[in-house]
Amino acid sequence: MAQFLRDRRGRITPADVGLPSGLSTRRIPGLRREELAALAGVSVDYYIRIEQGRETAPSDAVLGALAKALHLTPDEHTHLLGLADQAAGRTARRPPSEPRPVTPGVHVLLESLRPSPAYVLDEINDLLAANPEALALMPGLDDWPPVHRNTIRYTFLHPTARSLFADWDRVAANCLAHLRTAQLTAPDRVDAVVAELSEASPEFTTLWNRHEVRIKRAGSTDFQHPVIGRVTLANEALSLVGESQRVLVYQAPPGTPEHDALVLLAMTAEKAHVGGA
């Protein structure tokens, strides 16, 4: 919690919150502790205790005031509350979840979505199920053993990912921002992923230390695919009620070049499946 607050304080400038920058040179970027404390309506000493980890049970009202002063997004505010629960040893606001198998009905759903690539991810982006088009969309992912298939691991460690994602920097930052949200419900599993990828990828460490927090929602992704070429696909993230799983679907309106590309991808996936059989 303290590290998250220090990071966010360093990102807010006096101008962002309507304060004069002053004539003196600032030793570090961002707000001073006393400035943030004044904006949040708490004493400087009390805020310093929070940021130094000596105050482990600030109230929701104080955290809400800090979130407002730091211009936190709703996702970041929720994350801060969860970190405070951990620091105080309180029961998490959402019960920790255990990995569960994908239900038969969801497997049918993935098949019915073809030719749109669709797959199921858990909280740490382990790939739990996918239709053939989803595997074809990320070349090389299905070469890994099923227990090793994770879209964050793929993004940072698979050599194809750098050329596949036309905007790799944005994709990488977004997937880590979503992984941060799982710290509250699956901390041990998140720690394992972070330990593995931090050792293997300096870029992962740099992005992880930015403390971005953002739940994956609808958007679009630019691909430079070896089979279907350059294509931008819309994506939807659908949470499964009662499960710590979400379905990601890439799609395009019928009659568009992007949809034609997906049909070609489906034909390629089908040939690969038949050839493998």
Side-chain angles (χ1 to χ4, degrees), residues 60 78-97 123 181-187:
D60 284 3
T78 299
H79 184 68
L80 177 61
L81 293 173
L83 292 175
D85 287 340
Q86 285 187 340
R90 294 190 291 258
T91 301
R93 295 161 198 256
R94 291 182 294 168
S97 58
E123 291 173 299
T181 67
Q183 280 187 306
L184 306 180
T185 54

Side-chain angles (χ1 to χ4, degrees), residues 124 153 179 186-198 204:
I124 65 168
R153 183 181 289 116
L179 182 63
D188 293 341
R189 301 180 69 216
V190 171
D191 288 346
V193 172
V194 171
E196 174 196 349
L197 297 185
S198 293
F204 176 92

